[in-house]
Amino acid sequence: MAQKHSTSSRQQEKAGAAYKQQGLVTTATATSTVAVQDDMDSDRQRIDSMFPDSASLEGIEVVADNMRRRLGSVHETMRTLLRAQSDNNSSNQQQQQSMESTRIAIDDLYQRISEMRAKARTSERTVLDITQDIKALDFAKRNLTQTTTAMRRLQMLIAAVRQLRQLKMQKRWGEAATVVSAITGLSEGFSGYEQVRPVSSLLSSARELQKDTAIQAATFVERGFDTQGLLTGEVGQMRNACECVQAAGAMDRVVGFYCTLQLRAYAAIFQLDDDVSQLENVSRRYAWLRRILQNHAEMHASVFPDSWKVAEQLSRRFAEATRDQLSELLATREKVNADQLLAALADTLAFETQCNKKFGIVANNSDGLTVYEGSGEQAVSFVGGISCAFEPYMAIFVRGEQAKFAALVTQAQSAPVADDDPSLSVLASSTDLLYQFRESLRQCAALSTGQAMYDLAVVFGQSLSSYARNVLIQGLPQTPHLDDLKHVCLVINTADYCASVAAQLESKIIERIDKTYADRVSFAPCRDALLGAINAGIRVLVAAVENMCEPAFGALAQGPWHTLQTVGDQSAYVSMIASAVDAATLSVRRHVSGSRYLRSYCDKLAVRLCEKYSAAIMANRNHQGEISEVGAEQLLLDAQALKSVLLAVPAIGAEEDKKVQPPNTYARIVTQGVGKIEAVLKAILAPSDPPEALADRFLLLFPKAPRDTFQLVLNLKGIRSADHHLYHKSLQRMIQDTNNNAVAASEPSAATYSTPVAKGTLPAYMEHALSASAPLVSQRNERDNKNKNKSDGHGRMPSTASSGMLFANRSSLVGRSESPAVFSPSGTGLKSGAASSGDLPQTLLAARDGRLQQQQRPDPLGITGVGSSASAMSPGASVFSYTAEPRNVPSDGELGGSAADGTNSPVLASLAANATATRSKINENLRKFMSNMRRN
């Protein structure tokens, strides 16, 4: 019936599928009709587009051929599609049949699996019924075995209890020890039977019997010693009794009794008020214990089992008693002697170390714990057991060490300094002090690594700071000279040595001190004090050089700079300064051990000598009056010589095979220091009338226009105080004009500008300066003609070659040109033409002969006006021409020139370098000025 139902269902499904397919075909037919109609319309339009007129019908044959080929291709495509559709219909029917057969197979498989599951359940129930009886038999066997074992143990326990009672009464301790151990083992088997009353009663009686037996055995052992601790009983029986006590677990009572008995005499002998108990006799306590331990090893050790470690327990109880007595003794004493305290502590530490060694207690390197050597069991170290009583009183030791260090510092203050030994590099007092530091640290490390070591580290720092202040700094001479330099260098070396040792001492203490105090250890304050001593020593070295140079600066201050007529070679005071600096620096290099301190000395020396040079110039103004232009030129030359001397300081005393160049920092310090002096002297060379000329020159040299420096220039030039306000007003006005007319430069820096300016169009102060320059030019030409006759074959002065250069520079201040165009003597303007040898300065003659490396003459003032020799001069007009040159500042290594022919000295090379830098600044300002004039 089920098969009939399934067959009818399949027939209905096929009918429904056929109906749906027929509906789809009908729909597709209607859709195809509409599509055919649309295609016909589109074909008609396509034909119209292909043959729009009668003329286009000529190509109809070609179009027809194309259409026939296209129609054939369409027919072929349709045939392919029809074949594919037929194949698909046949494959779908095969798939449906395959799915139906698969479903029938799955249903059959599921039915078989269900039948197998039912059979498995039936088999399981059968097996359980078979094995249930076997499990019951196993449980019964297990219970029977446990019951039998328990009954046998119970019988054995009852027998053992009965036997132990008899042995206890007979005092047969050896056999009793075995029975006690057996009762303990049998009792453990009844741990789960406490609720059974007979068993619980038997276990209680057994424990009571063991306890009574242990008490009687311990009493037997105790009676084997008399009140003096001597052995009176029989050793074998006492040993058996100890074993019985051990089996019952009551050995602590016997050990405690024995230790108390042996130490009873210790409390009687070493009473608190007796002399033998005092701190200085602490070694007697340890000697007494050694005798007790020796007596125990010879007489009593055989009584006790080795596992009891009676000797070790006796020593520990002795250590506890001794610690309590020493704590009480130190607390009751009004004053504790530091030496006695240290001696007692040393003996105590030695005793604790001996105890560890005697009983085989060693430190485990892996985890830092103490263990028994061999077994590896954890143990308690003896170290610290007694010595901890001294810890609160270690401050006495620290105070004693502090007093010792203070005495060494005081002794070093009053002791004469033996600095005549050439092998001596540091003060001997420092080595003595640091040796005491080492000994104190070694002693303290052996006594304590806690609070005492930290306090000692604080004392070390305080003592070093006191040594730096009271010995090193106070030992420096107040008015040092050349003979004092070695001692000052020893002070610097000593401070450096102590600072390095302080750092090593700090790291060593941090390694050995307890971790609780490690973070608090610091020697930074004492290192700061030692560095302060080093700085003080370097200042004294510089002061010594200042004192040695004082006569030279005195000569500078008293020099006739206001009446000087000619410029010659460097002044004598420069040679005095050079010799003093050489002698002092050579001594410093020979005795100072650290190169960094030599560099610091050079830096400070350069700064101070520049300051002294400036101060000496001011002193000359106060004593002699104003400084003339010639004097300023001579001072400029001396400043360059001083700069050369200072730049050579780092190389003084160096090895010949090592060429020492001045460090960049040092060269910058020297350049800045001397540059300030040169700028002031160049400002002095500016004409004071009109005020605008001086103010303009000052602005070129000092762009920030410091008022105090400007006032200094006014004072050095000897301008009356009543006229100072005019110069200040001119300076202020020019500053305002510069700020208002500041325009970014767009022209190339090396371009040459030549602008003809009609006479009378220049500012008044420039016209006045041009007119006032004529007498100076005439005097210079006459002086050059006179010197020409005295010069060598090349037209150069033998020793005063720089004189003509400097006077030529002085004429250049008012617009003199280095080109063949020179000022006319009348001062009306410029005249063109080639200058004769008599009209040129000596340095230009040397340059013409190829004697100088520079194409232009050195200009120490840094100002050079360059005129154009080819400029056409209109009547009543003058040409103001200049060349803006790029700045070329030489490095420190280029300051010295080649002296092969004696014409290019380091001073001239340095003057040329400064001239190039300053000339570029001046030309830039002139360019801006001319640009403003053209625009206006």
Side-chain angles (χ1 to χ4, degrees), residues 406-421:
L408 288 176
V409 173
T410 304
Q411 180 181 357
Q413 284 182 268
S414 58
V417 180
D419 53 2
D420 53 350
D421 187 0

Side-chain angles (χ1 to χ4, degrees), residues 55-111:
S56 61
L57 294 176
E58 294 177 358
I60 190 170
E61 294 297 334
V62 177
V63 174
D65 292 339
N66 293 335
M67 295 299 290
R68 292 189 192 96
R69 286 194 297 272
R70 184 175 180 184
L71 180 60
S73 175
V74 170
H75 288 166
E76 184 65 26
T77 303
M78 290 176 63
R79 284 193 294 270
T80 303
L81 293 175
L82 289 174
R83 292 192 193 97
Q85 185 176 4
S86 177
D87 294 340
N88 290 335
N89 291 335
S90 61
S91 62
N92 290 336
Q93 292 177 0
Q94 292 177 0
Q95 290 178 359
Q96 290 178 0
Q97 293 175 1
S98 176
M99 291 177 61
E100 184 65 24
S101 62
T102 302
R103 186 182 62 79
I104 294 172
I106 291 173
D107 292 341
D108 186 29
L109 179 61
Y110 176 74
Q111 185 176 2

Side-chain angles (χ1 to χ4, degrees), residues 148-164 179 181-187 190 202 206:
T148 303
T149 303
M151 293 301 295
R152 289 177 180 176
R153 289 181 179 178
L154 185 59
Q155 291 177 0
M156 294 173 63
L157 180 60
I158 294 172
V161 170
R162 187 183 302 114
Q163 184 182 4
L164 182 59
V179 174
S181 299
I183 291 175
T184 302
L186 293 172
S187 299
F190 294 96
L202 179 61

Side-chain angles (χ1 to χ4, degrees), residues 598-619:
L598 180 63
R599 291 196 300 269
S600 179
Y601 157 78
C602 294
D603 294 343
K604 289 182 172 58
L605 179 64
V607 173
R608 285 299 301 158
L609 289 183
C610 291
E611 293 176 353
K612 292 286 290 184
Y613 193 88
S614 300
I617 294 176
M618 287 298 301

Side-chain angles (χ1 to χ4, degrees), residues 592-645:
V592 169
S593 58
S595 59
R596 60 183 182 275
Y597 304 130
L598 180 63
R599 291 196 300 269
S600 179
Y601 157 78
C602 294
D603 294 343
K604 289 182 172 58
L605 179 64
V607 173
R608 285 299 301 158
L609 289 183
C610 291
E611 293 176 353
K612 292 286 290 184
Y613 193 88
S614 300
I617 294 176
M618 287 298 301
N620 179 270
R621 167 68 180 87
N622 297 331
H623 293 87
Q624 303 295 333
E626 69 277 3
I627 298 177
S628 64
E629 294 183 3
V630 178
E633 291 178 355
Q634 181 64 50
L635 289 175
L636 272 172
L637 181 63
D638 295 342
Q640 287 297 323
L642 178 63
K643 181 178 180 180
S644 301
V645 171

